[in-house]
Amino acid sequence: MNTIDPLLFVTVLLVLLFVFIFLTWYFSHKAKTKERLLLIDKGIDIEKFLLNDKPSNIFLKFAIIVIGLAVAFAIQALMLRFEVEDEPPYLAVLFLCGGISLLIVHLINRVKR
């Protein structure tokens, strides 16, 4: 049975986490900038939109994502405990739970608007 080096696994997960956080910030910032430029091109006063823009609850979003990742790690621990396969699909479980938590965050944002 091949074992994964825990230090390497944690390192890869942390690097992926920072990459995802950066990409999320980058594309969000890019979209906001593009939206503001379009409003300026149309001659709309953006001050009205900036004052009415309510800040989103970033801590709620972060908490949902962390809960999703915690569920993924719990499932992985159960897979290790009960030896589901010779080599369980760790990354698949991690990405599945992370994706589900991001989907929940997206749905919560749509309901608030």
Side-chain angles (χ1 to χ4, degrees):
M1 182 170 139
N2 293 338
T3 59
I4 299 173
D5 184 23
L7 184 60
L8 177 66
F9 185 70
V10 170
T11 304
V12 169
L13 285 180
L14 286 175
V15 168
L16 286 174
L17 178 69
F18 287 123
V19 166
F20 289 143
I21 289 172
F22 173 75
L23 288 175
T24 302
W25 171 82
Y26 174 75
F27 286 115
S28 172
H29 181 71
K30 187 176 175 180
K32 285 181 184 178
T33 304
K34 194 175 195 179
E35 181 182 24
R36 287 181 184 152
L37 287 175
L38 285 172
L39 288 173
I40 291 170
D41 284 345
K42 290 185 177 183
I44 299 173
D45 185 22
I46 62 169
E47 292 299 322
K48 290 187 263 184
F49 291 101
L50 294 178
L51 293 176
N52 292 334
D53 190 22
K54 295 179 183 176
S56 60
N57 195 349
I58 190 74
F59 295 114
L60 175 65
K61 295 176 189 178
F62 184 71
I64 291 172
I65 293 171
V66 169
I67 289 170
L69 293 177
V71 168
F73 287 128
I75 291 171
Q76 290 175 358
L78 289 174
M79 291 171 84
L80 276 174
R81 173 88 170 134
F82 295 114
E83 297 178 5
V84 174
E85 294 178 14
D86 289 337
E87 200 167 316
Y90 295 113
L91 286 178
V93 171
L94 183 68
F95 287 137
L96 178 69
C97 291
I100 290 171
S101 64
L102 288 173
L103 182 64
I104 291 171
V105 168
H106 174 71
L107 293 175
I108 287 174
N109 283 341
R110 279 186 48 194
V111 169
K112 284 185 177 181
R113 291 182 184 181

